Amino acid sequence: MERPGHLHTQSQSNSSRVMGIVIVVAIHVLAVAGLVTALATGAILKQMAEIKASVERVKTPPKPPPPPPVDMKAPPPVSAIIPQFNVTTEAPPPPVTVKAPPPPAPTRAAAPPPPPPTELHAITRSHSLPPYPTISQRLGEQGTTTMIVDINTEGTVTDCKIEHSSS
């Protein structure tokens, strides 16, 4: 289905083109005539003569001189007052010698035997290995880190140090 605008004949489109060109020419003639009359009267020239443009530098006030340095006086010497104490003590009483019977020999209970040593297992045997990062696998990165870990009798870590790192 065609649009109605395409149904014009050739003569109709030529006449509408001519009419459009005439209108555009008339607008240009009126604009030029208006400029010529304005310039002839001199009103625009007077306004252009009054317009002046100038660039002035901003005047900055000079910086004030820095203040004079403060006179640094040495502080007075520190004088400490040392108190003097006189302490009088009484003479000690004369020593008394008393013979006491010898104390009985202490009896010691037999100490319990120490517990047997626990079997040590490497961490890799008692724990699962974490997954290796895929990006490190692709780049072929590998290494070994040696750590020293101190664990107390309750099973908590008390100290951890890196002995050797591969990075």
Side-chain angles (χ1 to χ4, degrees), residues 38-51:
L39 288 174
T41 59
I44 293 180
L45 292 177
K46 288 180 184 175
Q47 288 180 355
M48 288 176 59
E50 292 176 5
I51 297 174

Side-chain angles (χ1 to χ4, degrees), residues 97-109:
T97 57
V98 176
K99 279 218 161 183
T107 58
R108 288 192 171 185

Side-chain angles (χ1 to χ4, degrees), residues 2-76:
E2 294 184 25
R3 290 192 260 170
H6 289 241
L7 297 177
H8 295 293
T9 61
Q10 183 70 13
S11 65
Q12 288 177 344
S13 66
N14 284 339
S15 65
S16 63
R17 280 187 188 165
V18 170
M19 187 60 131
I21 291 173
V22 169
I23 290 174
V24 168
V25 168
I27 290 174
H28 281 84
V29 167
L30 287 175
V32 169
L35 282 173
V36 168
T37 56
L39 288 174
T41 59
I44 293 180
L45 292 177
K46 288 180 184 175
Q47 288 180 355
M48 288 176 59
E50 292 176 5
I51 297 174
K52 292 181 183 178
S54 64
V55 177
E56 294 180 8
R57 293 188 178 195
V58 178
K59 294 181 181 178
T60 57
K63 292 182 180 178
V70 179
D71 292 337
M72 299 296 286
K73 294 181 181 178

Side-chain angles (χ1 to χ4, degrees), residues 112-156:
T118 58
E119 185 178 340
L120 300 178
H121 297 283
I123 287 183
T124 56
R125 293 184 190 159
S126 62
H127 295 286
S128 62
L129 293 173
Y132 202 74
T134 55
I135 188 72
S136 294
Q137 288 176 356
R138 288 182 192 153
L139 295 174
E141 296 176 337
Q142 60 181 343
T144 303
T145 300
T146 306
M147 296 176 64
I148 299 176
V149 180
D150 294 337
I151 302 173
N152 64 8
T153 57
E154 286 84 30
T156 59

